[in-house]
Amino acid sequence: MVLHVQASLRALGPVAGGAAGVVDALLEALGPDGTLVAYTATPENSATSRIHKTATAGLSPAEVTAYQSRMPRFDPATTPCSPTMGALSEEIRTRPGALRSRHPQTSWAALGRRAVEITAHHPLTSHLGPESPLGRLYDLDARVLMLGVPMARFTAFHLADLRQPDVRVREYRCAGPDGWLTFQAPDLDDLHFAELGTRVLAAATGVTSTHLGTAGCRLVPVREAVDLATRLLRP
């Protein structure tokens, strides 16, 4: 299996070894032919992210410029993923043998047999689109383990959004390895994912649910969820 894990360790409760213990267990379950995948985004280096807008609200132009001069440049080999991604994503990223895609805002890490295939290609203009590692998860019929995380955060719903007519494009700016990068790409938003997730779960047949520790968990087929969401979003 190719498994993308979205996890809240706090929801899961105490685990021997913490994040490392959870990754060990997932790798054991996947076996030598499996692949473990994590979203390792870095919105802190973006001048067009919600994090940046919140951090710079009320600052003068000079203060914004000073703030941006201190923002980290993205290096796929060393830049930690955002704390908003969770400790499990960072644990997967730093495992020996893990590979990471090179998008300076929406990188992914993978560990296992399909890691190269998943992370090798990630163009700037496809943050979370069909040409990104997320698109590879759809192609590979991957599963997503929502480990104590609600469907409001189901990242693959972005693929359904980008299949809709008249997708809006906007400008992005972020600190890349060699300086600031500015590019045009589809506008991404997730504020509607909670409602969409409820509707998808009501119609899906391949989702399995259980409890691990104190966390409610779902194993969700990417392809089924995205195809259902695509149809539900159509006007």
Side-chain angles (χ1 to χ4, degrees), residues 32-67:
D33 291 329
T35 305
L36 186 60
V37 184
Y39 186 31
T40 56
T42 50
E44 288 82 5
N45 76 331
S46 168
T48 49
S49 67
R50 285 188 197 137
I51 286 177
H52 181 272
K53 291 176 182 177
T54 299
T56 58
L59 299 184
S60 68
E63 289 171 329
V64 171
T65 299
Y67 178 88

Side-chain angles (χ1 to χ4, degrees), residues 73 135 168 213:
R73 292 186 177 184
R168 191 163 72 94

Side-chain angles (χ1 to χ4, degrees), residues 64 93 98-99 104 128 135 150 154 192 203 229:
V64 171
R93 182 193 75 81
L99 301 178
L128 296 168
F154 189 74
H192 59 297

Side-chain angles (χ1 to χ4, degrees), residues 1-3 24-37 111:
M1 180 184 291
V2 175
L3 182 70
D24 288 342
L26 291 170
L27 291 173
E28 181 178 347
L30 287 169
D33 291 329
T35 305
L36 186 60
V37 184
L111 186 62

Side-chain angles (χ1 to χ4, degrees), residues 124-149:
L124 274 178
T125 54
S126 189
H127 283 104
L128 296 168
E131 296 180 85
S132 73
L134 183 58
R136 298 288 77 71
L137 296 186
Y138 179 91
D139 296 339
L140 294 168
D141 197 20
R143 299 297 186 268
V144 182
L145 178 61
M146 302 296 284
L147 185 58
V149 174

Side-chain angles (χ1 to χ4, degrees), residues 2 30 38 41 46 53 57 65 87-89 104 124 130 133 146 159-160 164 173-174 177 197 217 224-225:
V2 175
L30 287 169
S46 168
K53 291 176 182 177
T65 299
L88 206 66
S89 289
L124 274 178
M146 302 296 284
L159 291 173
Q164 303 308 306
R173 186 167 181 260
C174 62
C217 304
E224 181 188 25

Side-chain angles (χ1 to χ4, degrees), residues 171-228:
E171 183 175 277
Y172 292 87
R173 186 167 181 260
C174 62
D178 301 314
W180 285 96
L181 295 168
T182 301
F183 56 96
Q184 299 286 323
D187 193 9
L188 299 174
D189 198 354
D190 60 5
L191 297 180
H192 59 297
F193 281 9
E195 179 185 359
L196 182 59
T198 298
R199 298 172 68 194
V200 166
L201 289 178
T205 60
V207 177
T208 56
S209 301
T210 190
H211 273 78
L212 292 174
T214 55
C217 304
R218 292 187 178 94
L219 190 64
V220 184
V222 171
R223 192 174 295 170
E224 181 188 25
V226 170
D227 290 348
L228 279 170

